[in-house]
Amino acid sequence: MKYYPDALERLVEKFARLPGIGTKSAQRLAFHILSLPESQAEEFADAILAAKREIRLCPICQNLTDSSVCSFCSDEKRDPGVVCVVAEPRDVVALEKTREYKGKYHVLHGCISPMNHIGPDDVRIKELVARVAEGGINEVIMATNPDTEGDATAMYISRLLRPFGVRVTRLAYGIPVGSQLEFADGVTLSRALEGRREM
Amino acid sequence: MKYYPDALERLVEKFARLPGIGTKSAQRLAFHILSLPESQAEEFADAILAAKREIRLCPICQNLTDSSVCSFCSDEKRDPGVVCVVAEPRDVVALEKTREYKGKYHVLHGCISPMNHIGPDDVRIKELVARVAEGGINEVIMATNPDTEGDATAMYISRLLRPFGVRVTRLAYGIPVGSQLEFADGVTLSRALEGRREM
């Protein structure tokens, strides 16, 4: 049974295929699009097409970019001797917000995950190995997520890079700043103990 | 500080303007669009444009349609003597799903709400009065939401229609089927008592 006009049903269906959007939300979003002035609906459609058309991967670090080389790789003020390896482009944003890191990046676009049939060739590991093999890199910081898949990926990459004599480090595990000790989980707490430092 | 390429930032911003979508969700949706094959992204953009272009209001009942007259108004098997008045197109869908109602509809596109500066002229009331004035309608069923605004709108319309000698009814209030009495709120329960029927 068809309740809405075809063009509306199609739009609802497109929204419903987006991650985290159910049928009810998709309907609400489609009705919202109908309520927009024509010009704003066109801008929305254009933004989708422009993003697909203009955004590609940086050939060096694999981050998203709209130039031939991304702004991080082409920035000469950044230390080319340090490369921070992250799983996703949004992790680059999280690190940039600290304003502490001044090296380069490498974006894997995922982590190795045998459960989800994602092997080493499905993420951008060989591009990283090629960069290290070219020379000029002293340290590779593994900044994948502190979970099973992130840890396994970091471990796998560190073994691959060992022959090149490059220093491979991992972000510190520990209790989050501003959190309360009583609510810290046991694993985090034991990692924080393990990694304790002189004051 | 700009973290993502312009085209991506623009797409995130468009998603973030949709109702119920925050910045984090907007980013996730934009990344999802980037991960789609080009053809699917184009279909999405087309669906937005097509919905805006093809969907208009039925000149009779004000429901959404892609034809000159909507499928309910042009359906000759439906009783033209009964008109069910709802606030939104999605309410038509809810009523259709019951498969009980065989009359016509009228969609107000909102309810009177002085708090939100929505007056009688901002919803499609005069189109309803014109339909009733034309004659041929015996009963108008008020199926606006059972809340303050829905009740006020129903009351306002019933007064407007009184001079035409048409029967105006309201959906029954009561306890929802399948619910548990102990969890019913007091107002609903007193309405259910008030509206009790012979068995």
Side-chain angles (χ1 to χ4, degrees):
Chain A
M1 177 75 198
K2 195 176 83 58
Y3 296 112
Y4 293 121
D6 280 342
L8 182 55
E9 289 277 7
R10 273 198 302 275
L11 185 57
V12 170
E13 188 201 302
K14 295 289 172 203
F15 273 118
R17 279 202 213 152
L18 296 178
I21 307 281
T23 313
K24 289 270 170 188
S25 301
Q27 282 178 5
R28 203 182 52 214
L29 297 176
F31 278 118
H32 179 80
I33 294 285
L34 285 185
S35 74
L36 290 178
E38 185 115 11
S39 63
Q40 282 186 35
E42 276 166 17
E43 278 171 27
F44 198 143
D46 284 347
I48 290 172
L49 297 175
K52 272 309 281 186
R53 197 173 49 229
E54 293 172 21
I55 295 185
R56 64 203 70 143
L57 300 187
C58 170
I60 302 172
C61 73
Q62 314 295 322
N63 197 359
L64 301 172
T65 181
D66 50 7
S67 322
S68 57
V69 169
C70 82
S71 57
F72 300 111
C73 289
S74 58
D75 185 348
E76 292 185 358
K77 276 177 279 176
R78 286 181 166 266
D79 182 358
V82 186
V83 171
C84 182
V85 179
V86 296
E88 300 292 348
R90 53 180 159 261
D91 299 330
V92 171
V93 175
L95 284 159
E96 279 302 294
K97 282 184 177 161
T98 66
R99 296 166 185 269
E100 292 288 329
Y101 182 66
K102 297 293 174 208
K104 305 280 185 173
Y105 288 100
H106 189 91
V107 182
L108 296 173
H109 293 278
C111 274
I112 299 171
S113 171
M115 295 277 285
N116 300 311
H117 308 284
I118 302 173
D121 293 338
D122 299 318
V123 296
R124 310 263 162 175
I125 291 178
K126 60 178 186 299
E127 289 84 352
L128 174 63
V129 176
R131 277 176 85 179
V132 174
E134 259 183 27
I137 294 173
N138 311 313
E139 179 176 359
V140 174
I141 305 173
M142 296 304 312
T144 50
N145 281 333
D147 55 19
T148 323
E149 292 164 4
D151 282 346
T153 307
M155 189 63 76
Y156 179 87
I157 291 175
S158 76
R159 278 194 203 143
L160 278 186
L161 297 182
R162 202 171 294 159
F164 301 101
V166 71
R167 190 177 163 218
V168 182
T169 55
R170 183 92 171 98
L171 287 190
Y173 291 113
I175 45 173
V177 178
S179 64
Q180 286 179 292
L181 215 63
E182 60 173 325
F183 301 127
D185 65 292
V187 182
T188 300
L189 214 48
S190 35
R191 294 299 189 99
L193 267 173
E194 205 178 298
R196 67 191 182 278
R197 297 170 62 177
E198 298 289 339
M199 292 184 61
Chain B
M1 177 76 199
K2 193 176 84 58
Y3 295 111
Y4 293 120
D6 280 342
L8 182 54
E9 290 277 8
R10 271 197 304 275
L11 184 58
V12 170
E13 189 201 302
K14 295 289 172 204
F15 273 118
R17 278 202 215 154
L18 296 178
I21 307 280
T23 313
K24 290 271 170 189
S25 302
Q27 283 179 4
R28 202 182 54 213
L29 297 175
F31 278 118
H32 179 80
I33 294 286
L34 285 184
S35 74
L36 291 178
E38 185 115 9
S39 64
Q40 282 186 34
E42 277 166 16
E43 278 170 26
F44 198 144
D46 285 347
I48 290 173
L49 296 175
K52 271 309 281 185
R53 198 175 48 229
E54 292 172 21
I55 295 185
R56 68 202 68 144
L57 300 187
C58 170
I60 303 172
C61 74
Q62 314 296 323
N63 197 0
L64 301 172
T65 182
D66 50 7
S67 321
S68 57
V69 169
C70 83
S71 57
F72 300 111
C73 287
S74 59
D75 185 348
E76 293 185 358
K77 274 177 279 173
R78 285 181 167 264
D79 181 359
V82 186
V83 172
C84 183
V85 178
V86 296
E88 300 290 347
R90 52 181 161 262
D91 299 330
V92 171
V93 175
L95 283 160
E96 278 303 294
K97 282 184 177 161
T98 66
R99 294 165 187 271
E100 293 289 331
Y101 182 66
K102 297 294 174 212
K104 306 279 183 173
Y105 288 101
H106 189 89
V107 182
L108 297 173
H109 294 277
C111 274
I112 300 171
S113 170
M115 296 276 285
N116 300 310
H117 308 284
I118 302 173
D121 291 338
D122 299 318
V123 297
R124 310 263 163 174
I125 291 179
K126 61 178 183 297
E127 290 84 353
L128 174 64
V129 176
R131 277 176 85 178
V132 174
E134 258 182 30
I137 295 174
N138 312 314
E139 180 177 357
V140 174
I141 305 172
M142 297 305 312
T144 50
N145 281 332
D147 55 19
T148 323
E149 291 164 4
D151 282 347
T153 306
M155 189 63 75
Y156 179 86
I157 291 176
S158 75
R159 279 196 203 143
L160 277 186
L161 298 183
R162 202 169 296 161
F164 301 102
V166 70
R167 190 176 163 217
V168 182
T169 55
R170 183 93 172 95
L171 287 190
Y173 291 112
I175 46 172
V177 177
S179 65
Q180 287 179 290
L181 216 63
E182 60 173 323
F183 300 127
D185 65 292
V187 181
T188 300
L189 214 48
S190 34
R191 293 299 189 100
L193 267 174
E194 203 179 298
R196 68 192 181 278
R197 298 170 60 175
E198 297 290 340
M199 292 184 61

